[in-house]
Amino acid sequence: MNRETNIEQFEELMSTIERPGIDKLMDYIRKSDFYTAPASTKFHLSCKGGLLQHSLNVYEAMRHRLKMEEDGLVYKVADYTIAKIDEDSLKIVTLLHDLCKTNFYEEGTRNQKTYDKTKVANAQRWQIKEDSNGKFIWETVPTYTVNDKNPYGHGEKSVMMIEEFMKLSMEERYAIRWHMGMSDCTYNQIQAFNASCEKFPLVLLLHNADQEASHFLEATTGNKKYEEASGRIEFEEAEPIKR
């Protein structure tokens, strides 16, 4: 992924937000590891710059669900207008929903099996092992672990961190708080999540965009590329989505 291009895109989008405190928030972001942190430890975009790429992917996923009409961006289902979405709110909730992941991960290493035939062929005989999957060697690979210095939850932590610099609207708070949907709910919180979706459509929009980005757009080390072959969709590593 082109991290420098992603930084430029992120800063360009954030620069258009007219909200008191945005400058102080951007100062915090630039001094944090937001531009270099992964989006996860080993799942989607678990690589340097993954958090930044994921944030842009979520923005793109939500933006493409909205339609531009004369009075601005609207969220429509069939021919029904469900909600009008403020452009600043769109950028704020998508680009900042995972701010809680800044200064959250630490780099480390771990040993894993590799069955790569070239690597196995070039290894010393004593290094080569075999199991039911074939011949392999152990190799040390970089990894990320969690070191949560500010254990305050996930979505609620992002809300708290943003509001240390800039005030959010009520629907922005709800959307960021519940962006993980039911996966971040206890049994008693499921009703609260459902009620939040009905109260503020932005909640469900952000949750869906987050899921679409992490499951459909992102691999472990970059965005996916879709190629239709043999009647199915195949995924490969690809360049970052361009706006």
Side-chain angles (χ1 to χ4, degrees):
M1 66 180 68
N2 189 327
R3 197 155 51 86
E4 294 305 316
T5 298
N6 284 348
I7 292 172
E8 290 178 9
Q9 291 180 357
F10 180 87
E11 297 233 357
E12 179 186 346
L13 288 168
M14 293 296 291
S15 70
T16 63
I17 297 172
E18 298 182 1
R19 187 81 58 93
I22 188 70
D23 292 340
K24 292 181 179 179
L25 176 58
M26 286 303 299
D27 185 56
Y28 166 79
I29 287 173
R30 295 184 187 111
K31 290 176 180 177
S32 75
D33 65 351
F34 185 87
Y35 292 154
T36 58
S40 68
T41 54
K42 60 181 180 180
F43 304 106
H44 66 113
L45 294 175
S46 56
C47 56
K48 180 173 278 191
L51 177 58
L52 173 61
Q53 181 69 68
H54 172 68
S55 302
L56 291 169
N57 287 344
V58 174
Y59 169 79
E60 294 291 345
M62 187 189 291
R63 180 65 183 82
H64 281 85
R65 276 181 170 269
L66 304 176
K67 294 184 178 181
M68 178 62 76
E69 297 190 347
E70 289 184 4
D71 55 350
L73 290 171
V74 296
Y75 171 40
K76 303 189 82 167
V77 175
D79 292 328
Y80 296 94
T81 297
I82 305 301
K84 294 179 182 178
I85 307 298
D86 179 76
E87 288 204 47
D88 279 358
S89 290
L90 163 65
K91 294 168 189 172
I92 288 168
V93 301
T94 56
L95 297 175
L96 301 176
H97 73 284
D98 270 345
L99 189 65
C100 58
K101 292 182 178 179
T102 55
N103 305 320
F104 183 73
Y105 296 107
E106 286 187 348
E107 294 184 64
T109 59
R110 65 183 173 87
N111 292 328
Q112 73 172 20
K113 294 178 181 180
T114 178
Y115 297 89
D116 184 277
K117 292 181 179 179
T118 301
K119 290 182 178 181
V120 171
N122 292 332
Q124 298 293 319
R125 182 177 297 178
W126 62 268
Q127 294 176 303
I128 301 173
K129 313 293 181 184
E130 189 169 0
D131 63 13
S132 60
N133 293 318
K135 293 182 178 180
F136 70 90
I137 60 171
W138 288 100
E139 65 177 351
T140 301
V141 296
T143 188
Y144 289 99
T145 57
V146 171
N147 181 11
D148 192 353
K149 304 176 185 67
N150 189 11
Y152 195 74
H154 188 73
E156 58 267 52
K157 180 178 173 182
S158 288
V159 170
M160 178 192 73
M161 293 174 68
I162 295 166
E163 292 209 309
E164 287 182 0
F165 306 97
M166 180 181 75
K167 188 172 179 61
L168 296 170
S169 70
M170 190 62 72
E171 65 177 348
E172 290 165 356
R173 291 191 194 111
Y174 272 71
I176 295 171
R177 164 63 182 90
W178 293 111
H179 76 264
M180 291 293 289
M182 292 186 186
S183 66
D184 197 33
C185 291
T186 65
Y187 178 79
N188 291 331
Q189 289 175 322
I190 292 175
Q191 288 185 331
F193 167 70
N194 288 333
S196 297
C197 291
E198 295 178 8
K199 186 178 181 69
F200 298 114
L202 190 62
V203 174
L204 188 59
L205 272 170
L206 179 59
H207 172 58
N208 287 341
D210 184 51
Q211 293 296 299
E212 288 172 356
S214 59
H215 290 288
F216 300 146
L217 302 181
E218 300 164 4
T220 54
T221 59
N223 283 343
K224 294 174 181 176
K225 178 172 62 179
Y226 296 79
E227 290 189 357
E228 195 158 346
S230 304
R232 59 185 180 158
I233 300 296
E234 295 183 350
F235 303 105
E236 298 179 3
E237 303 291 333
E239 290 297 313
I241 292 175
K242 300 295 191 298
R243 290 197 301 114

